[in-house]
């Protein structure tokens, strides 16, 4: 005999949650085996178990709450994952696509309601508003395929915000129609919305920067802080008279620079959303389907067919026109159509408001719910097919970039010694690494042999403790980090040996920023690595959280462009700037500027990073020390250093580490020692040739300036 009985529909918390978890587990698996997107399975299963199907569950309580949170999560993720540089570069294209993908359905819906269904002007405008907007229901698909930062997806996301905003503004206009204070209504609405937008985009980045630098470093606390910011944006939007999804998206846009895509925090945000909140939303959308009222008479069937036809055909026409006018590829057009077809909460909100105000009848409300389910299916199907084709298309475009990546052979090694700084070094490595690289970041643990005073067993215990403290961080990266261990008599020798065995291209080490008396006499680990390590060496003095920087100040010595590893470290620094949404201010010579310009012309990804170049040679320490007093506190300084007897080695710059210790105590700095492979030949002859080339380049540049 059971201690309790189950009554349908389920209301008890444990059975409801257990059934929802089962649906979220099995539905995507089954539908993927049938060749259909998993989210379609969640929507259809929601219709099956909902109040209009088997009635196993009611759309109330936690299901409705989690469903609403899921929609907010989709818009928040879209704001977080948008490529800011691409968004700024393509804002006009986003404006065009958003306007046309709203206007065509809006006009078609208005004329269908006015002249085919006989609705009033207000009712017809609301019908057009239902069809004009769209929701990024299939956004998790493009995120899963790794094209969420591509140009076309960025344009679609920007267009989505514009279309949703216009749709909701149309709803506000119809609601305010007939009021004696309509002008005051619009003035108040515009002012509140402008204030809300300014508060989110200006205030949240500063508040988050302060929290990441002075608040808790606990991952859970950071996640809760981010969610607080996200939903606070929704509350501010509601206070301004707008739908909360607009405020949540703006919050994601504001926090975008503080949450790099390859960070642990971003991994947590995506995991919780894709595992819990977004599936809840999809199931809750399916529960809205009400089949009984659709086929009662021919008028209901006509309304359904009209809404479905306009909903799909108008979005396809908008995507087709955008593709032809802006010269996109057919696969990009298909992705535009797929992502812009789905409707969800905004369309439902407009339909419910119209129904409650007796502007729309029940047939339109039911047809809207069916439209949400059908367009969700169409959107998922077309988006998945287009994403697969676009992955191949985008992978084939930057051929010269692929050749450069293969040549540069990016494999990063991070020796682990201090758990207080290791997480920043590993995160820095992930930001430096190209996004398309499949090689993991190697996290190296050195066990010194028994020649040292401390026993190997004691050192091993300490290393296990260090790795244990990093275990949560490492586990969240899902294969992006690989832990390796080496035994050696000294740490520097172990790092050099591991770099050779693993064939890494770069070694990233921490720098405590001070020298003991013993180190002044016998040298440091950094000194040994600079002298004997051939790979690119990154010496890091990091105090602030990496996601709080605003600008990267790059200081390059003369002749650096002639070094073997010039293109390699330059490419990695552009990856870092793109990940952290940083602009670059570069101080260099004329010839170095020419080399950087040539690199950016052949690298489409690097060209999106804002760059300001100040052409001024820095051939002594006094020149470089000047920047410490003129730059702000949210800057990351990068000094490109020269190895001994290299082409860019100047005697005046040999004490750059002492300079940084003396003048950059409060600033965060990276010292980059480019790759140096020993080559035969006369260094004097090479330097003479280089100086002649530099002189010629300067003459050409001065001639161009005079002619202009």
């Amino acid at each position: 005999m059971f201690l309790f009985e189950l009554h349908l529909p389920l209301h008890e918390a444990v059975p409801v949650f257990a059934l929802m978890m089962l649906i979220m587990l099995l539905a995507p698996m089954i539908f993927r085996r049938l060749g259909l997107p998993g989210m379609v399975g969640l929507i259809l299963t929601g219709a099956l178990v909902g109040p209009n199907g088997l009635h196993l569950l009611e759309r109330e309580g936690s299901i409705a709450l989690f469903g609403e949170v899921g929609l907010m999560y989709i818009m928040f993720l879209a704001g977080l994952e948008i490529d800011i540089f691409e968004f700024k570069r393509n804002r006009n294209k986003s404006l065009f696509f958003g306007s046309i993908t709203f206007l065509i359905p809006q006009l078609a819906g208005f004329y269908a309601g006015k002249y085919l269904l006989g609705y009033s002007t207000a009712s017809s405008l609301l019908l057009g508003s239902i069809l004009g907007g769209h929701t990024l229901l299939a956004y998790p698909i493009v995120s899963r395929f790794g094209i969420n930062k591509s140009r076309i997806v960025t344009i679609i996301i920007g267009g989505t915000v514009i279309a949703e905003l216009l749709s909701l503004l149309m709803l506000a206009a119809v609601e305010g129609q007939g009021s004696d204070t309509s002008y005051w209504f619009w003035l108040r609405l515009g002012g509140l919305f402008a204030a809300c937008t300014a508060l989110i985009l200006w205030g949240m980045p500063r508040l988050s920067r302060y929290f990441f630098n002075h608040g808790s470093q606990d991952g859970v606390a950071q996640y809760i802080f981010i969610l607080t910011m996200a939903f606070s944006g929704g509350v501010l939007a509601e206070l301004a008279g707008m739908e909360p999804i607009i405020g949540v998206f703006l919050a994601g846009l504001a926090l975008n620079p503080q949450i790099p895509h390859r960070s642990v925090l971003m991994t947590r945000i995506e995991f919780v959303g894709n595992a819990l909140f977004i599936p809840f939303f999809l199931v809750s959308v399916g529960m809205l389907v009400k089949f009984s009222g659709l086929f009662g008479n021919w008028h209901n069937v006509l309304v359904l067919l009209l809404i479905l036809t306009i909903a799909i055909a108008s979005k396809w026409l908008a995507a087709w026109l955008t593709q032809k006018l802006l010269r996109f590829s057919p696969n990009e057009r298909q992705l535009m159509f797929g992502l812009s077809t789905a409707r969800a909460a905004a369309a439902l909100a407009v339909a419910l408001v119209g129904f409650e105000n007796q502007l729309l009848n029940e047939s339109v409300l039911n047809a809207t719910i069916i439209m949400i389910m059908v367009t969700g299916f169409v959107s998922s199907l077309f988006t998945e097919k287009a994403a697969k084709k676009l992955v191949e298309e985008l992978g084939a475009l930057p051929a010269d970039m692929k050749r450069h990546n293969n040549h540069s052979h990016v494999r990063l090694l991070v020796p682990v010694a201090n758990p207080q700084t290791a997480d920043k070094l590993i995160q820095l490595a992930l930001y430096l690494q190209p996004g398309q690289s499949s090689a993991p970041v190697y996290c190296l643990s050195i066990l010194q042999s028994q020649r040292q005073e401390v026993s190997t067993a004691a050192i091993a215990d300490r290393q296990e403790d260090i790795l244990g403290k990093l275990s949560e961080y490492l586990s969240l990266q899902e294969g992006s980090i690989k832990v390796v261990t080496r035994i050696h008599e000294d740490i520097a020798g172990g790092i050099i040996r591991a770099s050779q065995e693993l064939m890494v291209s770069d070694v990233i080490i921490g720098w405590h920023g001070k020298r003991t008396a013993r180190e002044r006499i016998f040298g440091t680990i950094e000194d040994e690595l600079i002298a004997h390590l051939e790979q690119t060496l990154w010496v890091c003095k990091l105090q602030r959280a990496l996601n709080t920087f605003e600008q990267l100040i790059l200081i390059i010595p003369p002749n650096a462009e002639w070094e073997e590893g010039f293109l390699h470290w330059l490419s990695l620094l552009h990856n870092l700037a793109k990940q952290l949404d940083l602009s670059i201010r570069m101080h260099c010579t004329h010839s170095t500027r020419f080399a950087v310009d040539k690199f950016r012309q052949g690298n489409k990804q690097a060209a999106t990073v804002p760059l300001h170049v100040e052409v001024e040679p820095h051939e002594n320490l006094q020149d470089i020390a000047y920047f410490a007093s003129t730059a702000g506190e949210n800057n990351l300084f990068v000094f490109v250093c020269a190895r001994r007897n290299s082409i860019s080695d100047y005697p005046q710059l040999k004490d750059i580490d002492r300079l940084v210790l003396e003048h950059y105590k409060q600033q965060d700095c990276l010292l980059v020692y480019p790759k140096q492979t020993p080559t035969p030949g006369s260094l004097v002859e090479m330097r003479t040739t280089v100086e002649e080339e530099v002189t010629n380049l300067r003459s050409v540049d001065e001639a161009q300036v005079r002619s202009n």
Side-chain angles (χ1 to χ4, degrees):
M1 179 178 179
F2 293 106
L3 296 178
F4 65 92
E5 295 182 1
L6 292 177
H7 298 281
L8 298 179
L10 299 175
H11 291 284
E12 295 81 5
V14 175
V16 168
F17 200 76
L19 181 57
M20 286 295 295
M21 292 297 104
L22 187 63
I23 292 171
M24 290 156 57
L25 173 66
L26 296 180
M29 294 171 58
I30 294 172
F31 275 76
R32 286 195 188 108
R33 284 185 174 273
L34 297 175
L36 298 173
M39 60 176 54
V40 173
L42 291 171
I43 295 174
L44 293 178
T45 307
L48 179 65
V49 303
N52 303 306
L54 299 177
H55 206 180
L56 302 180
L57 296 171
E58 291 280 3
R59 192 180 186 275
E60 60 183 17
S62 60
I63 295 179
L65 173 64
F66 276 69
E68 184 71 14
V69 171
L71 176 61
M72 301 297 111
Y73 227 101
I74 289 176
M75 295 303 295
F76 183 58
L77 279 175
L80 281 183
E81 296 186 345
I82 192 173
D83 190 320
I84 296 294
F85 295 139
E86 288 287 352
F87 183 72
K88 292 176 180 178
R89 289 181 66 199
N90 297 288
R91 56 181 176 270
N92 293 334
K93 294 179 180 178
S94 292
L95 179 62
F96 175 80
F97 174 65
S99 301
I100 198 170
T101 199
F102 167 77
L103 287 175
I104 292 177
Q106 171 70 44
L107 293 174
F110 173 78
Y111 282 106
K114 184 76 172 176
Y115 299 107
L116 295 180
L117 300 177
Y119 293 165
S120 65
T121 300
S123 300
S124 301
L125 286 172
L126 279 184
L127 181 59
S129 181
I130 291 173
L131 298 168
H134 60 265
T135 301
L136 294 172
L137 203 64
Y139 182 79
I141 294 177
V142 298
S143 183
R144 173 162 53 88
F145 278 95
I147 59 173
N148 48 307
K149 286 184 174 290
S150 63
R151 178 192 64 162
I152 186 63
V153 174
T154 302
I155 292 172
I156 295 170
I157 292 174
T160 298
V161 176
I162 293 167
E164 285 286 85
L165 183 60
L166 292 174
S167 176
L168 296 173
L169 283 173
M170 184 63 67
L171 171 63
V174 174
E175 281 187 299
Q177 191 180 36
S179 173
D180 294 335
T181 58
S182 58
Y183 291 106
W184 166 245
F185 166 80
W186 279 106
L187 183 63
R188 181 175 61 86
L189 179 65
L192 287 174
F193 179 66
C196 164
T197 303
L199 185 60
I200 292 174
L201 296 181
W202 180 86
M204 285 190 178
R206 286 160 175 77
L207 184 60
S208 62
R209 213 175 283 123
Y210 180 84
F211 177 83
F212 286 128
N213 277 320
H214 303 95
S216 173
Q217 297 302 311
D218 177 63
V220 175
Q222 291 183 346
Y223 177 77
I224 294 174
F225 169 79
I226 290 300
L227 283 194
T228 303
M229 292 293 98
F231 287 94
S232 296
V235 172
L236 289 173
E238 280 195 305
L239 292 176
M242 303 300 299
E243 284 294 317
I245 55 176
I246 301 297
V248 171
F249 174 81
L250 290 175
L253 209 59
L255 297 173
N256 184 298
Q258 278 73 51
I259 310 176
H261 185 65
R262 303 191 72 177
S263 64
V264 174
L265 182 56
M266 190 65 181
T267 303
R268 289 192 177 101
I269 294 171
E270 289 179 332
F271 175 79
V272 175
N274 293 328
L276 187 63
F277 292 125
I278 296 176
F280 254 100
F281 167 67
L282 296 172
V283 174
S284 68
V285 167
M287 290 183 179
L288 293 170
V289 178
K290 186 177 181 182
F291 295 99
S292 59
L294 289 174
F295 305 105
N297 54 63
W298 284 106
H299 179 268
N300 293 349
V301 175
L302 177 62
V303 170
L304 175 61
L305 292 177
L306 270 176
I307 287 179
L308 288 178
T309 302
I310 295 173
I312 296 173
S314 60
K315 291 294 183 180
W316 184 90
L317 180 58
W320 181 80
L321 285 174
T322 303
Q323 180 228 342
K324 293 300 182 183
L325 294 175
L326 300 183
R327 298 181 180 179
F328 292 136
S329 69
N331 290 330
E332 290 176 319
R333 178 195 65 211
Q334 188 171 344
L335 188 67
M336 273 192 291
F337 169 65
L339 282 176
S340 64
T341 300
R343 277 77 162 185
L348 183 62
V350 175
L352 287 173
V353 169
F355 180 73
E356 291 169 357
N357 292 306
Q358 298 182 347
L359 293 173
L360 297 175
N361 53 36
E362 188 177 0
S363 62
V364 175
L365 179 61
N366 289 334
T368 300
I369 297 171
I370 294 294
M371 179 194 68
I372 291 173
M373 185 181 70
V374 173
T375 56
F377 172 79
V378 173
S379 173
S380 302
L381 195 63
F382 276 82
T383 300
E384 182 134 6
K385 289 183 178 180
K388 289 179 180 178
K389 296 177 181 178
L390 207 56
V391 167
E392 301 176 3
E393 180 179 317
L394 293 176
L397 283 176
D400 45 297
M401 186 64 188
K402 289 174 68 176
R403 286 194 298 270
H404 172 69
N405 286 336
N406 292 334
H407 175 72
S408 55
H409 181 67
V410 180
R411 296 165 70 96
L412 305 172
L413 176 70
V414 181
V416 175
N418 183 359
Q420 302 301 322
T421 59
D423 59 337
K424 288 184 180 178
L425 296 180
I426 295 172
Q427 195 70 68
L428 174 65
L430 291 172
Y431 296 157
L432 289 170
Q433 191 176 46
Q436 62 270 36
S437 175
S438 59
V441 171
Y442 292 97
C443 183
L444 174 65
S445 173
I446 300 290
L447 300 181
Q448 293 177 281
S449 64
Q450 292 182 350
R451 292 186 184 183
Q452 303 294 330
E453 297 178 359
V454 183
S455 67
T456 303
I459 296 175
D461 290 340
R462 185 174 70 86
Q463 296 293 341
E464 289 180 7
D465 179 59
I466 291 174
L467 296 178
K469 292 178 180 178
L470 293 174
S471 60
E472 180 186 7
Y473 184 92
L474 300 175
S475 63
L476 286 171
Q477 293 302 319
E478 297 183 358
S480 298
I481 299 174
K482 183 177 181 180
V483 180
V484 295
T485 304
R486 293 293 183 271
I487 300 175
H488 205 273
E489 296 176 5
D490 64 278
I491 294 176
I495 295 173
I496 294 172
R497 175 185 170 186
S499 66
Q500 294 170 343
E501 293 176 353
L502 298 170
M503 296 183 294
V504 300
S505 61
D506 302 74
V507 175
I508 301 173
I509 62 174
W511 188 27
H512 52 69
K514 58 184 178 180
R515 284 177 180 262
T516 63
R518 180 182 181 280
E519 290 173 338
R520 290 192 185 98
I521 299 173
F522 298 103
T524 63
I525 295 174
E526 294 87 0
D527 295 332
E528 293 187 49
L529 293 177
I530 293 169
H532 302 292
L533 184 74
E534 295 182 6
Q535 289 84 352
T536 304
L537 178 65
W538 303 75
V539 182
C540 312
K541 184 172 77 72
L542 299 173
Q543 303 169 98
R544 302 169 61 87
L546 291 171
N547 56 352
T548 60
F549 295 118
E550 296 178 343
Q551 188 178 47
L552 190 153
I553 300 179
L554 177 59
I555 302 167
I556 307 175
N559 294 337
E561 68 276 13
W562 301 100
E563 297 283 1
E564 179 183 358
F566 173 74
L567 287 179
H568 176 78
W569 62 256
L570 186 62
S571 175
L572 265 59
L573 283 178
H574 276 81
N575 293 333
L576 175 67
K578 194 167 181 61
Q579 282 282 333
L580 296 177
D581 190 25
L582 305 177
S583 60
I584 298 178
R585 194 178 91 195
M586 186 172 69
H587 300 267
C588 62
T589 62
H590 284 271
S591 58
T592 303
R593 187 198 68 182
F594 293 150
V596 172
D597 290 343
K598 186 175 181 180
F599 162 76
R600 286 167 61 90
Q601 289 171 5
N603 189 318
K604 295 181 180 179
Q605 292 296 321
T608 62
V609 179
L611 175 66
H612 173 69
V613 181
E614 295 185 11
V615 179
E616 45 190 340
H618 302 290
E619 301 180 358
N620 57 68
L621 297 179
Q622 287 71 28
D623 290 338
I624 298 178
Y626 169 74
F627 299 111
S629 59
T630 59
E633 61 178 5
N634 294 325
N635 295 311
L636 175 63
F637 288 87
V638 180
F639 300 93
V640 180
C641 306
R643 297 178 188 263
R644 188 176 181 182
N645 294 329
S646 65
I647 298 176
S648 59
D649 180 25
Y650 281 75
Q652 300 90 334
L653 298 175
K654 67 178 181 179
D655 293 328
I656 193 170
D657 55 345
R658 178 188 60 78
L659 167 78
V660 172
L661 285 176
E662 181 179 349
H663 294 279
Y664 292 82
K665 294 179 181 179
Q666 304 301 322
Q667 284 84 5
D668 295 79
C669 305
L670 302 180
L671 274 63
V672 184
Y673 292 86
K675 177 182 179 182
Q676 183 74 52
T677 302
T679 55
S682 171
L683 181 63
V684 176
E685 293 178 2
M686 293 175 66
R687 183 184 291 276
T688 301
T689 304
V690 168
E691 289 176 349
E692 291 176 356
E693 292 285 348
V694 171
T695 302
N696 293 335
L697 287 171
R698 286 178 177 172
S699 301
V700 171
D701 184 47
E702 291 172 358
Q704 291 177 347
V705 171
R706 285 195 298 269
S707 64
N708 292 332

